[in-house]
Amino acid sequence: GSNNTCSVKNTSNVTVNNVNDAQIYNNVRTTSNTGGNSASNNTLGGSITTGNALLNTTVSSVANVNTTNVTAGFGGGNNIGGNSVTGPFSDNNAFITNGYRVDTWNSNTASVNNTVNATADTGANRADNNTGPATIQTGNALLGTLVGTHVNDSLTAVSLAGASGNNTVGNSTTGPFSSNNAVVANSADVEINNVNDLQVFNWVDVFARTGRNSASNNTLGGDIVTGNATAGLGVNTEGNINTSLVSMALGGFANDASSNVTGPDSNNDAFITNAKDVVVDNWNNKCQSHNADRLGSKDIRGDSGKDCDPADLGVWNDVYAESDAGNSKADNNTGPASVMAVWASLVQDVLTH
């Protein structure tokens, strides 16, 4: 007897590896200052008028952003395979195999250190020890600071569509005592691994000041009028964001597996198998990314030599904001003294996502 095998195999494999490593150090110091003036020790008096101090500081860090789009399908053509007119005692096998596999690995390691000091200051003026009158009038101190970090963001979209073609496999007109197998197997496998480790340190100090003025020890008096102190601070940290979109279909086509006109005492088997498998793993701050060992210390400026510990990963915010129009002095004057401090406003947002 003869041994006959017909095999049709369509295989599509897509592998995407996104491996990113980011180390970001931002050390920012900004100052807008019209204060710190002195009009002291004058016979006919001293007068200080400052302008406004305006300051806007933005620190933005974006790194380790992956976007992967994979679109595949089983095609529109027909697959036909089979054995025909075989002799007695023959072994006949016909296979059609369609396989699609997509593997995506996103590995992101990020360490970010933001050290920001911002000051808008019209205060700290002195008009002391004058014989004549002393006056201090400060301008407004307006400060806006934004520290934004966006790291380790992976978007993976996989679309496996069905097909319009047909799969037809079979054995026909085989001899007696033959063994006939007809198999159609369709499989689609998707595996997505998102592995992220991050350390973010935000050390932020902001000051909006119009106060700390002095008009003291003047013979004819001292007057102080401060401007407004306004501060707005935003610290926004976003990281370890995984978005996985999978759309799969095995429909739209006909599957036919059969054996026809087989001889007496033959053994006939027909199989049709459709299988879909989707695996998505998200590992965030588990010390599993490709270069996690360098995150073994909370001091990301140097390698401590110790292994990565998930307890050392995450976001640390050390934020201090001050809006100050007070602490001005008009003391020990012979004439009248007055201090007018206007409003101090502070808006602070610290967000971690």
Side-chain angles (χ1 to χ4, degrees):
S2 60
N3 188 349
N4 306 297
T5 300
C6 177
S7 179
V8 177
K9 187 174 184 179
N10 300 302
T11 301
S12 178
N13 295 315
V14 178
T15 300
V16 180
N17 294 318
N18 297 308
V19 182
N20 301 298
D21 196 352
Q23 289 183 292
I24 301 173
Y25 306 98
N26 295 309
N27 192 341
V28 181
R29 183 179 180 87
T30 57
T31 301
S32 179
N33 186 13
T34 63
N37 304 288
S38 178
S40 301
N41 305 312
N42 298 294
T43 301
L44 297 180
S47 178
I48 298 174
T49 301
T50 74
N52 300 321
L54 308 178
L55 177 63
N56 288 307
T57 302
T58 300
V59 180
S60 179
S61 301
V62 179
N64 296 1
V65 178
N66 307 307
T67 302
T68 303
N69 292 294
V70 178
T71 300
F74 282 92
N78 297 321
N79 296 310
I80 301 174
N83 300 298
S84 62
V85 191
T86 62
F89 299 100
S90 60
D91 187 5
N92 305 300
N93 298 291
F95 304 98
I96 293 179
T97 304
N98 298 307
Y100 287 86
R101 182 170 183 85
V102 177
D103 291 301
T104 303
W105 185 45
N106 298 310
S107 180
N108 302 304
T109 306
S111 53
V112 182
N113 189 330
N114 294 311
T115 301
V116 181
N117 186 292
T119 302
D121 193 352
T122 63
N125 302 287
R126 303 183 66 85
D128 298 329
N129 306 315
N130 295 291
T131 303
T135 62
I136 297 175
Q137 182 170 346
T138 74
N140 301 319
L142 305 175
L143 183 148
T145 301
L146 175 62
V147 180
T149 301
H150 186 110
V151 293
N152 294 5
D153 187 350
S154 298
L155 168 63
T156 303
V158 178
S159 177
L160 295 178
S164 58
N166 299 323
N167 297 309
T168 303
V169 65
N171 300 294
S172 63
T173 316
T174 62
F177 304 103
S178 61
S179 176
N180 305 298
N181 295 302
V183 178
V184 175
N186 299 305
S187 65
D189 299 301
V190 175
E191 184 170 353
I192 301 172
N193 294 292
N194 298 306
V195 184
N196 303 297
D197 290 310
L198 68 78
Q199 284 179 324
V200 178
F201 300 88
N202 294 310
W203 317 99
V204 183
D205 294 310
V206 297
F207 304 92
R209 291 169 170 168
T210 62
R212 299 169 297 110
N213 303 285
S214 177
S216 301
N217 304 313
N218 297 292
T219 302
L220 296 181
D223 297 312
I224 299 174
V225 179
T226 72
N228 301 321
T230 303
L233 170 63
V235 179
N236 185 24
T237 302
E238 299 178 346
N240 293 1
I241 302 171
N242 304 310
T243 304
S244 300
L245 306 173
V246 179
S247 175
M248 299 175 62
L250 289 179
F253 51 85
N255 296 306
D256 182 9
S258 61
S259 296
N260 301 313
V261 192
T262 60
D265 295 307
S266 61
N267 185 13
N268 305 303
D269 294 307
F271 303 96
I272 296 176
T273 303
N274 296 309
K276 294 186 294 183
D277 188 42
V278 178
V279 176
V280 179
D281 285 329
N282 296 314
W283 294 76
N284 293 322
N285 286 355
K286 300 299 182 183
C287 293
Q288 297 295 317
S289 63
H290 65 286
N291 200 15
D293 287 342
R294 72 173 178 81
L295 303 180
S297 171
K298 288 184 179 180
D299 181 10
I300 64 174
R301 291 184 179 276
D303 186 3
S304 68
K306 73 173 186 178
D307 293 334
C308 179
D309 185 345
D312 291 336
L313 303 180
V315 178
W316 286 265
N317 293 309
D318 189 334
V319 179
Y320 180 81
E322 178 182 300
S323 181
D324 186 6
N327 199 30
S328 295
K329 296 179 179 181
D331 298 332
N332 305 315
N333 294 290
T334 303
S338 67
V339 176
M340 180 181 293
V342 293
W343 52 271
S345 176
L346 173 63
V347 177
Q348 176 177 301
D349 291 317
V350 179
L351 305 175
T352 301
H353 176 67

